[in-house]
Amino acid sequence: NANSVFRSSDIVRNIEEYFPVHSSAGKDKKYIIAYDPALQNDNSIVLIMEYWQDKATKQWRGKIINMINLMQVQVDGTKHPMRTPDQIEAIRQILVDYNGDNVVPYENVTLYIDAGSGGGGRALSEHLWSDFTDKNGKTWPGVIVLTDEECAAQEDKYPRAKDVIRLIEPRKLRQKMFEAASEMVKEGYIVFPMDMPRTSVIREDDKEITVGEDDFKISV
């Protein structure tokens, strides 16, 4: 399609075979967590990308390692976005998972949130400012965005909150975002995962291994 942001040939050229990464893979790993909240009948997507600076070229590169749809299956089988409190809990758990064993909370993660009106991203981010306790009983500081004047004005009320949120206005930046993303994919700076295998047996490191849907899912 001439109007597509990415050419399918560029995507295929940048595909590598790997499974989703469900949590931090090491203290030296850095992650972008991109959250597009939805409060109505739309998908509420969280995309996780590992990023690093190539030592040889000094170029920044990214690898898409997971995508989570914050949906709940109802009794009648229909799917709906999680309620706001459940989405907040899920995002907090994702932050904890990709923080890994890093001593300083969230020093290796940045949370980008679509601030558009449809999903109420700006208002929703306010629920993340407070401290919280994870499922293991550990208390974590909240996360805040100090690059936003309205949010920064509340900093004194949340002194422990870490400045790792970035609010993005897609409508204002749409053209620049599309152009930058298109160029990065074209130049091979973005790595895409393989499709889910059509069979239950794949080869990895010259060995045959059996996989299922659970290898491509994460529970939040």
Side-chain angles (χ1 to χ4, degrees), residues 4-99:
S4 298
V5 178
F6 310 121
R7 294 188 304 182
S8 58
S9 58
D10 289 334
I11 293 176
V12 170
R13 179 165 47 83
N14 294 329
I15 287 177
E16 295 182 4
E17 293 190 356
Y18 57 91
F19 292 112
V21 179
H22 298 161
S23 59
S24 174
K27 292 183 178 181
D28 61 331
K29 303 295 184 179
K30 295 184 179 296
Y31 302 101
I32 288 174
I33 300 170
Y35 175 33
D36 183 10
L39 303 179
Q40 302 299 322
N41 295 319
D42 197 3
N43 290 331
S44 192
I45 296 296
V46 182
L47 188 71
I48 295 100
M49 173 181 285
E50 178 189 346
Y51 69 98
W52 67 95
Q53 188 173 29
D54 188 281
K55 293 182 179 179
T57 65
K58 303 303 181 182
Q59 294 286 351
W60 287 96
R61 302 193 65 202
K63 181 178 183 179
I64 298 172
I65 59 169
N66 206 353
M67 187 182 76
I68 306 163
N69 195 351
L70 301 182
M71 303 288 285
Q72 288 180 326
V73 181
Q74 308 300 314
V75 176
D76 62 1
T78 59
K79 297 180 179 180
H80 297 284
M82 288 181 177
R83 295 170 55 252
T84 297
D86 294 327
Q87 290 197 33
I88 294 300
E89 183 178 347
I91 291 298
R92 284 172 166 168
Q93 186 59 50
I94 292 169
L95 285 168
V96 169
D97 289 341
Y98 287 94
N99 180 85

Side-chain angles (χ1 to χ4, degrees), residues 140-217:
W140 293 80
V143 291
I144 196 170
V145 49
L146 299 183
T147 54
D148 181 87
E149 290 185 6
E150 293 181 21
C151 299
Q154 305 298 317
E155 181 182 8
D156 290 345
K157 297 179 182 179
Y158 303 90
R160 279 172 43 84
K162 303 299 182 181
D163 179 27
V164 298
I165 297 179
R166 297 294 176 265
L167 295 175
I168 303 298
E169 298 280 0
R171 292 184 181 180
K172 295 181 180 179
L173 302 173
R174 185 186 302 272
Q175 188 64 31
K176 290 183 178 180
M177 290 169 62
F178 283 177
E179 290 176 355
S182 177
E183 187 65 20
M184 291 180 73
V185 171
K186 180 180 178 180
E187 295 298 325
Y189 297 147
I190 304 296
V191 179
F192 294 89
M194 63 182 176
D195 291 335
M196 185 171 179
R198 296 182 180 180
T199 65
S200 60
V201 178
I202 67 171
R203 295 193 64 83
E204 185 177 72
D205 297 329
D206 295 326
K207 297 180 181 180
E208 288 190 348
I209 59 174
T210 301
V211 299
E213 289 190 5
D214 288 343
D215 292 301
F216 293 84
K217 292 181 178 178

